[in-house]
Amino acid sequence: VVVSPGTDNVKILRKAEMYLIAAEALVRNDATTLPQALDLLNAVRNRAGLPPFVTADPAAFLTQLLADKRVE
């Protein structure tokens, strides 16, 4: 198969971005899933060498998550 340069439209989604999207969806859908969302967020933060984020407040979680998404 020969593909001309510029004609192969490849989409790339990083694993960290997938974790952050999933974490946001969990909390926005059901605040009781905050512990699972924190696990996903902290997996990304751990890989980046950042300390774990700890909160019991869904609003604080979303604020931190959106800040981390901008940096990631």
Side-chain angles (χ1 to χ4, degrees):
V1 173
V2 177
V3 178
S4 301
T7 61
D8 53 340
N9 189 9
V10 177
K11 306 287 186 210
I12 298 176
L13 187 61
R14 298 182 57 233
K15 187 175 183 178
E17 181 66 16
M18 292 182 347
Y19 279 15
L20 296 176
I21 290 169
E24 183 177 4
L26 280 169
V27 171
R28 288 190 186 275
N29 186 48
D30 181 2
T32 64
T33 60
L34 183 59
Q36 295 90 338
L38 278 167
D39 288 345
L40 292 169
L41 174 63
N42 285 326
V44 174
R45 291 177 62 83
N46 182 52
R47 183 206 44 85
L50 297 171
F53 182 71
V54 179
T55 187
D57 178 21
F61 171 82
L62 288 172
T63 299
Q64 183 62 47
L65 178 114
L66 294 175
D68 286 1
K69 281 179 91 170
R70 283 192 298 274
V71 173
E72 184 61 35

